[in-house]
Amino acid sequence: MCTYQTANIELRASGKTLEGWVGMTSASVYFDHPVHFPAGHALMIDVRNQERGPSARVALELDPASARALAETILLTLDQVPDVLLAESGH
Amino acid sequence: MTHDLRAETITISGHGGDEIEAYLGLPTDVDTCGSIVVIHHMPGYDEATKEIVRKFAANGYAALMPNLYHREAPGAAPDDAAATARASGGVPDERLVGDVAGAMAHLRSLATSNSKVASIGYCSGGRQSLLAGCRLPLDAVIDCYGAFTVVDSPAESPLRATAIVAEVGNLRGPVLGLFGADDQYPSPEQNQVLADALTAAGKDYHFRTFDGAAHAFFNVDRPSFRPEAALEGWREVFSFLERTVA
């Protein structure tokens, strides 16, 4: 299966790559063939900085249950953070 | 046949005259031979597909794989290049055809060439192999589980692939299609639509669908590998090439 299903978003983040920490500007989320994860398909996340080149990338390949658990945990964590701290971390 | 070969990275002239990287495998135990353009899968110009190039060369065919992501990511690791290409919408069809044309021209220019050239592609490359056959004078075309040949990719995805079934009347050479019965992209029903279109166009084609296999059953380093389907698939491939471009 080759789904082609891909979503691109812009974001503000830092990611640790082989070349050290890099400011990240975009992400792609898709469900397709993983490079390393031992399954036919996986939920794939690429966090990137296109201006810094192809290797400015942090990649994750997750099984669907793990991806959902991670997403829910991120939302739960954010829900528990006081508004003042959220405001401090964002623009 | 000794299976002797030479393999190396070269530069070829691709679409629009762009210089792009390509991986060449040459049999060294033949005086003349047929050729094949190898179109890599969406995960990129990777080690596994280079191994496929060497397999063709070991079996007596000059094989050349253009790096379809060279423009977006020259010198990058294959997975980084694939991620970059995906994020920017994938490989445009026109550019793919130009790159395959460049690979064909390079293969035909070799001193050992018998002037016959086939194409083979895997996954997204399966569709691209068929597309190239519809638009270029390829002597034979092999489509290994290419999706979106008879339907378009999801409209909401930035990664676009449009159906090419309406173009099959332009094919100049025979088609070999190798598919998995458990695959959904392409599904057996979609492959039947393609087969019906080839029949209606009066084309020479042979489709094999392997039970117990899904997508990417040729990939020896992935869980999708199905040894029986892959072995039989390789037998089909070399039988087809012997008939069409040897």
Side-chain angles (χ1 to χ4, degrees):
Chain A
M1 180 188 291
C2 210
T3 66
Y4 282 50
Q5 197 79 253
T6 303
N8 292 329
I9 62 165
E10 293 183 358
L11 49 70
R12 277 181 70 234
S14 288
K16 192 166 186 181
T17 71
L18 287 175
E19 294 151 11
W21 284 96
V22 176
M24 296 298 182
T25 56
S26 63
S28 299
V29 179
Y30 49 101
F31 195 76
D32 217 321
H33 310 306
V35 173
H36 183 270
F37 186 73
H41 298 85
L43 189 286
M44 318 275 278
I45 303 173
D46 292 324
V47 181
R48 298 174 296 108
N49 182 329
Q50 195 157 334
E51 289 186 3
R52 291 284 295 269
S55 63
R57 179 174 78 110
V58 175
L60 274 179
E61 300 178 333
L62 300 144
D63 83 81
S66 300
R68 199 171 287 281
L70 178 63
E72 289 169 350
T73 303
I74 290 170
L75 293 174
L76 183 65
T77 302
L78 287 170
D79 286 345
Q80 293 171 344
V81 175
D83 288 345
V84 64
L85 292 184
L86 290 177
E88 175 189 304
S89 304
H91 270 312
Chain B
M1 182 175 289
T2 63
H3 296 113
D4 288 352
L5 63 92
R6 190 177 86 235
E8 60 187 348
T9 300
I10 64 170
T11 299
I12 64 169
S13 181
H15 179 68
D18 295 345
E19 291 199 335
I20 61 170
E21 181 182 38
Y23 190 68
L24 176 67
L26 293 175
T28 54
D29 57 352
V30 298
D31 295 324
T32 63
C33 63
S35 303
I36 186 163
V37 180
V38 177
I39 304 175
H40 61 70
H41 56 170
M42 196 174 291
Y45 175 83
D46 59 5
E47 196 175 326
T49 321
K50 287 180 176 176
E51 181 62 33
I52 288 172
V53 169
R54 292 193 292 271
K55 186 174 180 79
F56 282 118
N59 283 276
Y61 296 91
L64 183 58
M65 173 173 64
N67 180 353
L68 303 179
Y69 303 152
H70 180 81
R71 294 171 185 80
E72 287 87 359
D79 56 340
D80 289 339
T84 299
R86 173 184 286 270
S88 59
V91 176
D93 282 350
E94 185 184 358
R95 194 178 92 185
L96 175 281
V97 172
D99 287 353
V100 174
M104 288 173 63
H106 185 89
L107 288 166
R108 286 198 169 120
S109 75
L110 297 172
T112 52
S113 171
N114 69 1
S115 84
K116 295 179 181 175
V117 183
S119 67
I120 187 169
Y122 303 83
C123 182
S124 56
R127 173 186 172 277
Q128 290 167 329
S129 178
L130 190 66
L131 173 73
C134 293
R135 299 190 186 176
L136 296 169
L138 282 160
D139 297 293
V141 166
I142 307 173
D143 167 7
C144 299
Y145 33 81
F148 305 115
T149 55
V150 301
V151 295
D152 294 347
S153 63
E156 66 277 17
S157 174
L159 199 59
R160 298 293 295 140
T162 54
I164 50 177
V165 64
E167 298 186 46
V168 298
N170 299 325
L171 284 160
R172 317 243 185 125
V175 177
L176 173 65
L178 300 173
F179 309 106
D182 299 334
D183 199 349
Q184 289 304 306
Y185 294 84
S187 67
E189 294 74 21
Q190 290 168 350
N191 298 332
Q192 188 58 52
V193 172
L194 181 59
D196 291 345
L198 289 164
T199 299
K203 299 301 176 183
D204 175 357
Y205 73 96
H206 174 54
F207 280 9
R208 278 285 302 272
T209 299
F210 296 100
D211 289 334
H215 201 77
F217 56 79
F218 277 115
N219 290 18
V220 295
D221 59 352
R222 302 302 305 158
S224 57
F225 179 51
R226 294 293 178 274
E228 289 181 8
L231 284 171
E232 184 60 14
W234 275 116
R235 193 196 62 75
E236 290 277 8
V237 165
F238 285 116
S239 171
F240 180 74
L241 292 179
E242 177 72 24
R243 177 166 74 88
T244 55
V245 300

